[in-house]
Amino acid sequence: MSEKGEKATLELLDGAYALLWYNDLDKTLNVARNDSRPLYIATGKKSKNIFFASEDDMLIWLAGRNSIELKDI
């Protein structure tokens, strides 16, 4: 990504992927996935935290195990 850029690198990928990366140049958090890999994103009800998981049931279970209420998935 640092040599070819984000879009060009993603176009080269083959197979299932769900990726999360931080771009230090423009200070952005980036998320990409293809149709072969799910990615669920949730926000905390009482915080500004964001949670990621490949399975929605796992996200719900992990949040519950850690006493975190989710606002939405």
Side-chain angles (χ1 to χ4, degrees):
M1 284 188 171
S2 64
E3 294 175 11
K4 296 184 181 288
E6 295 168 344
K7 184 177 179 185
T9 300
L10 291 173
E11 290 172 351
L12 293 172
L13 297 179
D14 185 32
Y17 66 84
L19 304 170
L20 174 72
W21 72 94
Y22 181 76
N23 184 321
D24 196 41
L25 296 176
D26 60 13
K27 309 294 187 220
T28 58
L29 183 64
N30 301 274
V31 179
R33 69 169 189 87
N34 63 6
D35 292 338
S36 300
R37 184 71 60 203
L39 180 66
Y40 295 90
I41 302 172
T43 55
K45 190 177 250 184
K46 296 179 181 177
S47 69
K48 294 182 180 180
N49 294 330
I50 300 173
F51 306 93
F52 302 88
S54 59
E55 298 176 14
D56 57 344
D57 289 338
M58 182 60 73
L59 189 57
I60 293 166
W61 180 78
L62 287 169
R65 186 182 79 171
N66 290 285
S67 301
I68 298 169
E69 292 183 65
L70 299 177
K71 182 168 57 173
D72 57 359
I73 297 176

